Amino acid sequence: MTTIPETWTIRPAREQDMPLLAEIYLSVRRQTFLWVDPSHFNLEDFAVHSAGERLLVCEDLHGVIAGFAALWDADDFIHMLYILPAFQGRGAGKALLAALPDWPKRRYRLKCLVKNTHAMAFYQALGFEIIGDGASPEGDYKEMRLRGIQSL
């Protein structure tokens, strides 16, 4: 059996997307960060946590939003990459990353919670390397940086 890759549309987030993106942010955090009390997460967190960031949305062929990414351009920092569970493992996260400016030449950075082993493996498989450690209210994290393309 041949698997046909899905086609994703990546576009800037629109104002009318914001309520749905807030729902995705809340639900994915509650479903993924099982070691954190779910009452720690609130719908209002999205607006606060994404303020001033470039937001990209990933849609499937039917215009259904699968997830989003938030980028702090000034520091090449990927602050958020959230994909609904029904779309995980289908290329939506890779499509969002590939849509970032100068991907994969630019050495993007991010922080990934250590206990989020699925995400850690995802980023490492895409060429992110661990460059530091830290702690947050949600737990310990690894700071990671994209290795980037080496010139020939």
Side-chain angles (χ1 to χ4, degrees), residues 7-14 55-60 66-69 83 91-100:
T7 302
W8 301 103
T9 299
I10 308 300
R11 62 169 175 79
R14 302 177 189 126
L55 292 168
L56 298 175
V57 169
C58 179
E59 294 178 329
D60 72 4
F68 70 91
I83 306 297
K94 288 179 186 177
L96 278 163
L97 292 175
L100 295 177

Side-chain angles (χ1 to χ4, degrees), residues 122-143:
F122 170 77
Y123 292 123
Q124 288 177 315
L126 290 175
F128 282 85
E129 60 187 344
I130 296 170
I131 59 169
D133 301 290
S136 75
E138 290 82 28
D140 293 342
Y141 64 82
K142 296 291 184 183
E143 184 173 356

Side-chain angles (χ1 to χ4, degrees), residues 72-90:
W72 184 254
D73 282 311
D75 205 17
D76 291 338
F77 185 74
I78 302 166
H79 183 220
M80 298 183 222
L81 179 62
Y82 285 83
I83 306 297
L84 287 168
F87 293 98
Q88 291 177 8
R90 294 167 49 184

Side-chain angles (χ1 to χ4, degrees), residues 21-146:
L21 300 184
E23 288 284 347
I24 291 171
Y25 187 53
L26 177 63
S27 68
V28 173
R29 290 167 80 207
R30 285 184 172 168
Q31 292 174 52
T32 304
F33 306 153
L34 299 176
W35 57 91
V36 179
D37 179 352
S39 68
H40 178 75
F41 304 122
N42 300 294
L43 196 58
E44 298 78 22
D45 293 343
F46 177 74
V48 174
H49 296 171
S50 65
E53 297 182 346
R54 178 195 310 220
L55 292 168
L56 298 175
V57 169
C58 179
E59 294 178 329
D60 72 4
L61 288 172
H62 307 289
V64 176
I65 294 178
F68 70 91
L71 178 69
W72 184 254
D73 282 311
D75 205 17
D76 291 338
F77 185 74
I78 302 166
H79 183 220
M80 298 183 222
L81 179 62
Y82 285 83
I83 306 297
L84 287 168
F87 293 98
Q88 291 177 8
R90 294 167 49 184
K94 288 179 186 177
L96 278 163
L97 292 175
L100 295 177
D102 296 322
W103 179 271
K105 296 175 189 168
R106 198 177 286 182
R107 299 192 74 193
Y108 286 100
R109 295 180 316 103
L110 57 85
K111 295 176 182 174
C112 187
L113 295 172
V114 174
K115 289 185 179 181
N116 192 352
T117 56
H118 182 73
M120 288 287 298
F122 170 77
Y123 292 123
Q124 288 177 315
L126 290 175
F128 282 85
E129 60 187 344
I130 296 170
I131 59 169
D133 301 290
S136 75
E138 290 82 28
D140 293 342
Y141 64 82
K142 296 291 184 183
E143 184 173 356
M144 304 176 85
R145 181 177 58 215
L146 186 62

